[in-house]
Amino acid sequence: MSNQVTRRDVNTGIGAALLSPALAAAAAFAQGGEPIKIGFSMAQTGSLAGAGQQALLGTQIWEEETNAKGGLLGRPVKLIYYDDQTRPENVPAIYTKLLDVDKVDLVIGPYGTNMVAPAIPAVMQKGKVFIGLFALDANGEFHYPKYFSMLPSGPTPKESFSEGFFQIAAAQNPRPETVAIAAEDAEFSRNGADGGRNNIKKYGFKIVYDKTYPPSTTDFSPIIRAIQASNPDLVLICSYPNSSVGMLQSANELRLKPRMMGGGMVGLQYTAIKSKLKSKLNGIVNYETWVPSSKLMAPAADFFKKYQARAQGIDPLGYYLGGWGYAYLQVLADGITGSKSVNDDKIADYLRTHEFNTIMASGIRFGKNGEWTKSGMLQVQYHGITEAANLETWRGMSYQTVLTPAEEKTGSIIYPYEKALG
């Protein structure tokens, strides 16, 4: 294992707030049972740290609360985790160490498609249950029967990220006809672009530009100019955080004005990126997995109060991944208590055959390749954002409208894109 990957028993700015309650809770176990050790990697540095740090705090709050209630099966729980540095090549060695050296009882996934995919072979060799966190169709090639996805992308995961985008576009009058696709050359964004092409065919649009760009790209103006030259009605962007920012900054500077733009951009959900882009977000239609609407906040409110009180130096709201970091451990815990075991086969059987309710989503059932049987993906549009926007802006719903699915819809699209620019 690379000496660049270090154990973080107490994460800076997070662990200190949780250490004392965790120690106090540990003393509450009258039987003194051996802890159930749960291992994982999580991006705490690198390009995905903005989300990974949220998820880690969510897992730590789950650990603290679970131990305060008596643990699982009468045993305390203990999380063992390492920083994968957002480097896929680090991930297999981390999981090998967790299983062979740390001797964890169970493992859960890191954050993101690019990190989860290289972990699956290492986990498969040991026959372990594996719940991936926000990994887009990561099991589509492996078909590992003990894999379960914590991502509300449903039975057609590749298509789900842009399904609502094209559904909305197809309902507009006059109806748009042409599409440009720009995708980062990485696992998630390639998968998202593949799903986008299927949706384009489904809804009868025509592709006029379809290119990938290297993850190392820093100058996005040539891409934006090439898209402008193709004069598309719709622009689907599938990107990770750094390039999401770069693409929108260049689009704003070069005044790219299609009828709709966005779809599959990771990072726009982060509070720091919202604060960086501000008015440049106006008009963008993009995926979301959860928003702080009154309906969705109700089961999660207590968690977010705790998260936000402890979020020192990380995303102050935690809406994108903090709650999901808590929720995927809720699912694993239900599998442990429901099967009355830490045996991977028994837990996997339970997860396949039962429904799960979490703070972030309810009625979760797992189907083919461990994906959800029903999609819960949202498409939202940003609007009315000024350069005075601050944390209180992002805390609520005033700047975003849920467009799909119908059961979560909070308003209608501002169309075309230019009308939302102010």
Side-chain angles (χ1 to χ4, degrees):
M1 181 169 162
S2 168
N3 59 15
Q4 293 177 313
V5 182
T6 58
R7 173 78 168 272
R8 298 196 173 191
D9 288 321
V10 182
N11 187 55
T12 302
I14 299 175
L18 297 174
L19 184 60
S20 295
L23 289 174
F29 292 94
Q31 302 304 316
E34 283 294 311
I36 298 172
K37 294 187 289 186
I38 302 170
F40 59 102
S41 82
M42 189 61 68
Q44 297 301 289
T45 55
S47 62
L48 295 183
Q53 291 167 352
Q54 297 179 52
L56 181 60
L57 180 50
T59 67
Q60 291 172 318
I61 292 173
W62 173 86
E63 178 187 34
E64 175 193 346
E65 289 186 355
T66 301
N67 284 334
K69 294 175 183 176
L72 301 174
L73 306 181
R75 298 165 60 185
V77 295
K78 181 180 180 181
L79 301 180
I80 299 175
Y81 50 86
Y82 297 90
D83 177 14
D84 58 40
Q85 302 174 317
T86 318
R87 295 173 60 181
E89 66 270 23
N90 287 343
V91 171
I94 291 175
Y95 280 86
T96 298
K97 183 179 189 302
L98 286 166
L99 293 165
D100 291 349
V101 178
D102 297 316
K103 303 293 185 182
V104 298
D105 298 286
L106 298 162
V107 288
I108 54 175
Y111 160 61
T113 316
N114 295 2
M115 305 298 120
V116 171
I120 293 176
V123 171
M124 288 175 64
Q125 290 177 7
K126 301 290 186 178
K128 305 299 287 182
V129 164
F130 197 50
I131 304 177
L133 182 62
F134 276 35
L136 179 56
D137 200 29
N139 198 32
E141 294 184 7
F142 298 108
H143 308 293
Y144 180 48
K146 298 177 194 174
Y147 176 85
F148 302 90
S149 177
M150 201 59 177
L151 176 68
S153 51
T156 56
K158 290 182 179 180
E159 290 76 14
S160 68
F161 272 71
S162 60
E163 170 84 24
F165 182 90
F166 290 109
Q167 180 185 9
I168 295 159
Q172 301 310 306
N173 187 16
R175 191 181 193 274
E177 297 178 357
T178 57
V179 186
I181 302 175
E184 187 169 329
D185 190 10
E187 182 114 7
F188 161 77
S189 35
R190 287 195 301 268
N191 286 347
D194 286 345
R197 294 182 193 101
N198 292 338
N199 287 326
I200 288 165
K201 182 177 180 181
K202 174 181 177 179
Y203 287 98
F205 298 117
K206 178 185 177 182
I207 297 174
V208 294
Y209 175 94
D210 189 351
K211 301 287 185 181
T212 59
Y213 56 87
S216 59
T217 300
T218 56
D219 181 5
F220 294 89
S221 56
I223 301 170
I224 297 300
R225 288 193 178 98
I227 291 172
Q228 284 177 316
S230 69
N231 194 31
D233 296 322
L234 309 172
V235 177
L236 175 67
I237 303 172
C238 299
S239 52
Y240 263 159
N242 290 342
S243 62
S244 294
V245 172
M247 288 288 281
L248 290 192
Q249 287 177 328
S250 290
N252 183 265
E253 290 166 5
L254 297 173
R255 301 181 65 81
L256 176 63
K257 294 180 180 178
R259 295 184 185 180
M260 283 176 60
M261 180 163 59
M265 307 181 77
V266 179
L268 305 191
Q269 307 81 7
Y270 300 7
T271 305
I273 289 180
K274 285 181 168 73
S275 296
K276 183 180 182 69
L277 291 170
K278 293 189 177 181
S279 63
K280 295 181 180 67
L281 289 169
N282 285 330
I284 296 297
V285 175
N286 197 54
Y287 87 90
E288 258 290 5
T289 57
W290 189 90
V291 294
S293 65
S294 56
K295 176 183 176 182
L296 295 180
M297 179 58 87
D302 287 345
F303 167 82
F304 283 113
K305 286 178 184 175
K306 291 181 181 179
Y307 173 98
Q308 290 165 17
R310 300 175 182 181
Q312 302 298 317
I314 66 174
D315 189 290
L317 297 178
Y319 289 162
Y320 184 54
L321 215 65
W324 291 105
Y326 185 98
Y328 83 142
L329 276 165
Q330 282 188 289
V331 170
L332 179 63
D334 284 352
I336 294 168
T337 55
S339 66
K340 299 179 176 61
S341 174
V342 293
N343 177 276
D344 292 276
D345 290 333
K346 291 180 180 179
I347 294 172
D349 287 341
Y350 191 89
L351 296 182
R352 289 189 205 101
T353 54
H354 289 77
E355 183 175 286
F356 302 92
N357 296 318
T358 73
I359 62 169
M360 301 299 281
S362 59
I364 300 169
R365 284 190 173 273
F366 298 104
K368 182 180 178 182
N369 291 331
E371 302 291 345
W372 293 20
T373 57
K374 181 182 178 182
S375 174
M377 294 298 291
L378 314 174
Q379 284 283 329
V380 306
Q381 185 179 41
Y382 304 119
H383 52 78
I385 303 169
T386 70
E387 293 306 300
N390 57 26
L391 184 61
E392 292 309 306
T393 306
W394 316 129
R395 193 182 298 279
M397 291 292 294
S398 63
Y399 71 97
Q400 61 181 335
T401 297
V402 179
L403 304 175
T404 64
E407 60 267 26
E408 304 297 343
K409 186 175 179 180
T410 62
S412 299
I413 189 173
I414 301 170
Y415 181 90
Y417 165 75
E418 189 171 6
K419 286 188 176 180
L421 299 181

